[in-house]
Amino acid sequence: MTLAFSTARDIPTEADVVAVPVLKGGTAPAGAAVEVDEGFLAARGFKGDVGETLPLLADDGGTILVVGVGEADKIDAEVIRRASAAAVKAAGKATTLATTLLDVVPAGVDRAGAAQALAEGTVLATYRFVQYKSESPDRPLERVVAITRAGATVDKALQRGAAVASAVWLARDLVNEPPTAMTPRRMAEMAQVIAGNAGLDLTVLDEKQIVAEGLGGLAGVAAGSDEPARLIKLVYEPSGRVSGTVAIVGKGITFDSGGLSLKSGDGMMTMKDDMGGAAAVLATMSALPAIAPKVRVIGYAACTENMPSGKATKPGDVLHIRNGKTVEVLNTDAEGRLVLADALSLAVEDGVDAIVDLATLTGACIVALGSEIAGLMSTNDDLAEQVRRAGERAGESLWPLPLPDRYRKHIDSPVADIKNIGVAGKAGTLIAGLFLKEFVGDRPWVHLDIAGPAWADADDSYIAKGGTGFGVRTLIELLSTFRAPR
Ligand code: BES
Ligand code: ZN
Ligand code: ZN
């Protein structure tokens, strides 16, 4: 993926396609750079809904691509993202696409944010996972020119959007790789490549070190697998004054069969995506030099398969987590919380100012919020609000869920300190959150259950069927604006 973004005051003659916005009702915005015949649009049934497109022949033989942007007062970064995605999908064989979409950004909406969204929507709409296809479709588009009078600001934001999108692209690739290709060892190799390119500090614990360091949750989940586990730690050190340290922690189950509490065949079909949290962490780390946040960032990815075998952890077994707590494992399919328990304990030891974890943790979260919204649980309202707002700006939906003390008793164990499941069919997402809370000490912490949005069942706008890279945009936005939570 190499798309070049630039700005210009006027439409360049080499543009094959010029994408122009049209509002709901088929009206061109006031002062539009390109005139369109509203009567003609009406005759063709063009309504101006977000993402609707209609190609028109221009006087000079080029193509004017009319793109719907919906109602004027509802236009925000996400509308620009979706409209840009629609434009690039309808741009056909164009090599240079010019766009006047930024003309419709209302005065109250951040211009830079909209320009960033333009680049994100454009790049991500071209995403395809073609690694294993004998024939891959050609992608002729090379250049995108945003028509604007605010050249410098917009140009900077476009480059930032391109950097964010390429991180999301990487996260999607990591998730979409077959589980036997993207093993914990391969994840560690990818982390090594990322660390090399981005100048990050890398530590990888192998299976022996995982045991030696007391990461009993990770080792316990890995016990049934022939593939060895890896604990990956990446550190980004900002140049200049440091405004704090944030740990981002990802669940990295490269395949979740359920272990001895085996899943059904259907239930396993998408379980290569169970490292979507770890993928988001690695991908976010890869983008940090380009984004240059003022905060130190420590990325953890706890990677293992979850497999059944004669060596696998059995229901009834007790595991010793890094922070000293013991866990009775009653369902080996509730494995994500076990590997996260160790990684969160390590993040606490680092003395960070905030911890954000991302995990495809519970099917219950999909029941509650569907496949496009992540659940957000937290021990700190200020941090929760920072993360939620970052998600909003990034175009990723996060919905707050509680961590009720009254349900803590559901994970009481007769044998160990806690058990890894609650009561069947009761608040499974909150129970998982309460479980994780046992390992974050007094650190401000946000848990994002991304079981739904990490995977898309169908193409939709700038999302392609498969791994979505969910969380990367939110994390980058959060880290760019982070301040120590109160
Ligand atoms: N990886 C799954 C959660 C999941 C399910 C993600 C469906 C995406 C789609 C997780 O490890 C799991 O199996 N959780 C169990 C927990 C239960 C045994 C308490 C679940 O959700 O059923
Ligand atoms: Zn599971
Ligand atoms: Zn899982």
Side-chain angles (χ1 to χ4, degrees):
M1 170 216 39
T2 38
L3 263 185
F5 288 90
S6 59
T7 59
R9 281 175 160 260
D10 303 302
I11 292 160
T13 49
E14 67 269 23
D16 313 294
V17 173
V18 184
V20 302
V22 167
L23 299 164
K24 178 89 181 167
T27 51
V34 180
E35 271 182 49
V36 290
D37 182 342
E38 293 179 6
F40 182 76
L41 293 183
R44 293 293 300 269
F46 187 87
K47 295 197 212 56
D49 289 332
V50 179
E52 195 182 354
T53 57
L54 180 68
L56 308 172
L57 189 63
D59 298 341
D60 64 357
T63 302
I64 303 282
L65 182 66
V66 174
V67 184
V69 290
E71 285 164 37
D73 56 356
K74 291 200 178 127
I75 294 172
D76 59 7
E78 179 63 8
V79 168
I80 298 297
R81 226 176 254 115
R82 300 186 91 89
S84 305
V88 70
K89 285 184 169 184
K93 296 203 167 8
T95 55
T96 301
L97 169 68
T99 172
T100 62
L101 268 179
L102 295 176
D103 280 354
V104 290
V105 178
V109 172
D110 178 38
R111 292 221 133 245
Q116 180 184 332
L118 187 155
E120 290 172 358
T122 305
V123 173
L124 293 177
T126 68
Y127 179 84
R128 256 168 218 105
F129 186 66
V130 294
Q131 208 69 28
Y132 298 87
K133 292 274 194 194
S134 313
E135 279 167 50
S136 55
D138 50 338
R139 278 196 264 110
L141 189 64
E142 290 169 11
R143 280 175 302 275
V144 177
V145 186
I147 308 306
T148 176
R149 251 163 269 138
T153 321
V154 169
D155 191 68
K156 208 166 150 230
L158 289 171
Q159 307 316 325
R160 181 183 156 98
V164 171
S166 92
V168 176
W169 191 289
L170 169 62
R172 289 182 181 184
D173 276 351
L174 293 174
V175 172
N176 287 331
E177 278 288 337
T180 303
M182 196 47 65
T183 58
R185 282 184 293 181
R186 184 84 190 111
M187 291 284 282
E189 282 171 20
M190 294 304 294
Q192 197 168 10
V193 173
I194 290 166
N197 290 340
L200 308 174
D201 193 55
L202 171 70
T203 315
V204 177
L205 301 186
D206 66 17
E207 67 275 24
K208 288 201 186 81
Q209 293 164 311
I210 286 167
V211 172
E213 291 296 324
L215 309 184
L218 183 54
V221 174
S225 174
D226 286 347
E227 277 294 333
R230 293 289 182 267
L231 188 283
I232 300 166
K233 178 182 184 181
L234 286 163
V235 182
Y236 163 81
E237 195 69 46
S239 57
R241 203 180 61 81
V242 180
S243 67
T245 304
V246 180
I248 55 177
V249 178
K251 169 178 174 181
I253 303 297
T254 58
F255 184 71
D256 184 8
S257 73
L260 289 174
S261 311
L262 198 64
K263 286 184 184 297
S264 66
D266 276 359
M268 271 182 227
M269 219 135 60
T270 60
M271 278 304 122
K272 68 175 183 181
D273 88 336
D274 214 18
M275 34 63 79
V281 167
L282 296 192
T284 298
M285 297 304 296
S286 80
L288 293 184
I291 303 295
K294 289 286 155 225
V295 67
R296 180 184 296 109
V297 186
I298 307 181
Y300 280 105
C303 300
T304 177
E305 295 182 339
N306 184 25
M307 297 290 280
S309 85
K311 293 199 171 66
T313 293
K314 306 165 188 77
D317 277 344
V318 174
L319 303 178
H320 294 255
I321 306 298
R322 168 82 183 186
N323 77 341
K325 292 197 181 176
T326 57
V327 179
E328 184 187 14
V329 177
L330 289 176
N331 189 319
T332 62
D333 197 12
E335 83 298 338
R337 61 199 73 182
L338 301 172
V339 308
L340 286 171
D342 282 325
L344 292 170
S345 303
L346 290 172
V348 170
E349 288 173 35
D350 291 333
V352 297
D353 299 298
I355 305 175
V356 179
D357 80 70
L358 299 91
T360 47
L361 206 60
T362 65
C365 199
I366 310 178
V367 176
L369 300 176
S371 52
E372 291 180 42
I373 303 174
L376 182 158
M377 284 143 272
S378 179
T379 49
N380 182 291
D381 290 345
D382 182 5
L383 182 64
E385 191 54 15
Q386 285 192 51
V387 174
R388 202 192 57 74
R389 288 219 184 122
E392 213 164 65
R393 290 194 299 275
E396 294 184 319
S397 299
L398 314 170
W399 202 260
L401 297 173
L403 290 172
D405 287 337
R406 51 163 25 102
Y407 290 168
R408 168 61 180 73
K409 59 180 180 286
H410 290 207
I411 53 170
D412 282 346
S413 161
V415 174
D417 295 335
I418 50 173
K419 58 186 170 106
N420 78 329
I421 53 168
V423 182
K426 290 195 174 169
T429 303
L430 315 186
I431 297 301
L434 286 168
F435 181 96
L436 297 180
K437 189 177 167 218
E438 297 289 314
F439 303 93
V440 296
D442 62 357
R443 295 296 87 195
W445 160 70
V446 162
H447 161 53
L448 299 178
D449 192 329
I450 60 169
W455 185 265
D457 288 323
D459 292 353
D460 177 23
S461 183
Y462 58 85
I463 306 279
K465 181 176 164 73
T468 59
F470 188 94
V472 173
R473 285 184 283 144
T474 297
L475 285 177
I476 292 176
E477 191 60 31
L478 172 75
L479 296 169
S480 311
T481 54
F482 178 82
R483 46 168 187 73
R486 283 186 294 272

